[in-house]
Every structure is written in C-alpha cells, then in structure tokens.
Amino acid sequence: MIEFNIDRWHAWAPGIDSPDTWSRWSAAPWQPPASPDLQPDVSFLPAMQRRRLSPLARMAFAVAWPLAEDHGPMPLVYASRHGETPRNYELLCELARGEELSPTQFSLSVHNAIIGLWSIMRGDTSEMSALSAEADGLEHALLEACALLDEGAPRVLLMITEGVQPEPYQPWIDDAPFPYALALVISPGRQWRLTLDSAAGATEPSTWPHALNLVRALLGDAGMPVHSCRGRHWHWHAAP
Amino acid sequence: MSDLQHEIKQLIIDALGLEDMGPDDIGSDQTLFGEGLGLDSVDALELGLAIQKRFGVKIDADSKDTRKHFANVNSLAAFVSAQRAA
C-alpha cells in the first residue's frame, strides 16, 4: 500500500487542453479526433530548443512545464509504455534501406531522451527516472515516486504520456487509443491510497488509459478506479 | 551569396530543423557552432551526414582540418567546391 497527496495535475489530449474541456470530457468522455493539427503549445521554449522535441516530448513538456515553473527543481519519474517508437521505426526503415542513420534521431530515440532534454532545458539536476511498464505504467511510476518521497524528497513530478504509434504497430497496441499526457505533482500525505491485489481474477481492460481514469476521479466524475493488468489489480482510494 | 552558399544554408535549416529561419538569417561568415548560430555537437554530426549525402563528398571525422571546414558557410562552400574539383 502507498499513500500520497496529489498537489497539482495538468493533462493534454487532442482538443482537450483546458480546465473547461477536461471537465466536459470527464463528465462524458469521447474519443478525440486523430488530427496532426492538434498539437500541444510549447511556444514557451525558444525555437532552438523546441526543434529537438518529438510530438511525445512536446506533450510531456506542455503538461509538466507549468507545474515545474510553480515548484522549482524536483525529482521526476517519467513513464511511457511505447515511448519514442516513431523515431525507432524511422531508424529501422533507414537501416532496411541501407542508409546512414540520423545522429539526431538516434540520440533522441532512447527511452530516457525526454528526461535528458528536460534536465538540460530546465537546468534541473534532480534525480530522474524513465520507466516503461505495461498498461499500468501510471501505478508503477507512483511506486517509484513514493520511494523518492520516502527518501526525503518534498515533492515529485510525474509524467505519463503515450503518443501516436507507427501504423504497422497499431494492430498490436490497445492501450494507447489516442495521444495523451498527464503530469502530477505528488507530496507526502494521505489524500490518496493505492493498494495492489495480486489475486487471480478476471482482468477487465479499462476503456480509457489509466492516467485519464485518474483525471476523471480527480474531477469527481467517476468512482475510484480499479486498474487491472496481467493479474495486478490496483485499487485507488481517496480520503473522504 | 553564391548558389552554393545559398544551398548550404538551406541544407543547414532543413537538416537541423531550424523551423523559424530562412537562408538570409544565416550570415556567410557567421560562426556555426558554439557562439554565433549556436549549433552543438549533435548538429555537427547531422550536418556532416547531410553534406556527405547531398554533395557526395567524404568527410574525415578525425582530420584536424574538418573543424576549420565547418567554421562557417563560406568555409563549407570552399570545402565542397575543392572536394568536387578533386
């Protein structure tokens, strides 16, 4: 069992990027349209820094930057199941065509590239980790974050994000129905409790990604989620 | 600005994703790396690859002269011209 407070949150999905649109989505969720024109706003970064950010990195920066501006340096746990698969797929295609690999694509294709860019651009040398778990990356990231709180960090920043997957991979991916990102600032406290029950039982995949079910719970539009993934049942509780 | 210089400037913009810039924003004698345009070591590798692909020239990463060739657009144009003539 882990306990923690959620001090702040900020989320993005295509066309859902304000408190008002999140309230409407949360009350009656819809599948956002797949439109490359709907991109998160990262105009707070200079163009020379922005140019290295993939769509996935832009989402992560857009949700987390305002929270970091308010709180200053803090440890970061980043979780994405699929990560920079579009960059990796591009590199594999270049290899298959016998072409030389782009050094920029190569250096930014690794799973911790986004937290590396975050550390450089924010000038924050706090401890940072990049996780790739299964569909329950949110819960694994919270375990990691609570370990950091237990070691004395006053607060921890979480980034949970999934992007658009390369078309050939899509038939095998069912946990990232559309691009989204959620950033949380968590601190020691007892507002939220997460328990893990590993008893065998029916595993009902959730309709929406875990991070977005949590948004609905935060906004009071849904009951406490139970998230199941391969026999791991995560029970969310909020203090009354 | 010669055609070759113009082509190199456009190549720098395209290869390095300088989305807000045009060829006229890069001075032919402007330092490319560190100070000046502010490019970094990853840009150096990316630009080296782009120059090799576009102009079919060989770049020796260990040669001391390579740093000089990549100083600015003028020196790059002179390098590409010399390699093509060789």
Side-chain angles (χ1 to χ4, degrees), chain A:
Chain A
M1 179 190 81
I2 52 175
E3 291 179 312
F4 50 87
N5 287 355
I6 298 176
D7 295 346
R8 296 275 310 275
W9 65 272
H10 192 192
W12 186 92
I16 313 170
D17 54 1
S18 66
D20 178 51
T21 45
W22 275 112
S23 291
R24 281 192 281 127
W25 185 86
S26 178
W30 65 86
Q31 169 90 20
S35 166
D37 296 335
L38 295 172
Q39 296 290 335
D41 178 19
V42 285
S43 58
F44 49 82
L45 290 170
M48 284 299 273
Q49 297 189 345
R50 226 164 42 222
R51 70 200 172 103
R52 293 255 165 90
L53 302 183
S54 63
L56 188 72
R58 283 169 192 249
M59 282 193 294
F61 275 58
V63 294
W65 197 273
L67 306 188
E69 287 288 273
D70 290 346
H71 289 287
M74 57 187 149
L76 164 65
V77 181
Y78 161 92
S80 178
R81 182 179 194 177
H82 305 289
E84 293 283 12
T85 42
R87 285 197 198 270
N88 283 290
Y89 182 72
E90 270 306 305
L91 288 168
L92 290 172
C93 290
E94 287 175 9
L95 273 181
R97 292 193 297 263
E99 294 174 2
E100 296 230 33
L101 296 182
S102 155
T104 312
Q105 285 276 36
F106 186 78
S107 68
L108 295 176
S109 67
V110 294
H111 199 59
N112 58 359
I114 286 180
I115 63 173
L117 291 170
W118 177 264
S119 174
I120 293 168
M121 292 183 193
R122 289 211 58 85
D124 187 344
T125 54
S126 305
E127 183 170 348
M128 300 183 188
S129 319
L131 306 181
S132 175
E134 293 183 271
D136 52 353
L138 166 69
E139 284 82 2
H140 287 287
L142 277 159
L143 269 184
E144 184 74 15
C146 283
L148 289 163
L149 292 181
D150 194 51
E151 285 198 333
R155 57 184 71 84
V156 177
L157 177 63
L158 268 78
M159 292 177 186
I160 316 293
T161 183
E162 299 293 353
V164 177
Q165 306 307 314
E167 198 265 329
Y169 296 166
Q170 288 180 6
W172 285 278
I173 294 174
D174 59 6
D175 61 329
F178 50 87
Y180 68 88
L182 170 69
L184 302 170
V185 174
I186 71 158
S187 63
R190 307 187 122 185
Q191 285 175 358
W192 291 87
R193 192 167 76 236
L194 187 57
T195 56
L196 173 61
D197 155 22
S198 300
T203 297
E204 196 69 21
S206 79
T207 310
W208 306 105
H210 293 192
L212 301 186
N213 286 334
L214 175 59
V215 167
R216 298 189 69 206
L218 281 160
L219 288 171
D221 287 315
M224 286 300 117
V226 179
H227 288 148
S228 296
C229 183
R230 295 212 193 200
R232 299 186 294 273
H233 308 288
W234 302 92
H235 297 264
W236 284 83
H237 310 270

Side-chain angles (χ1 to χ4, degrees), chain B residues 44-55:
Chain B
L45 293 168
E46 195 72 34
L47 182 57
L49 182 67
I51 296 267
Q52 292 185 74
K53 273 188 182 170
R54 171 71 63 87
F55 300 107

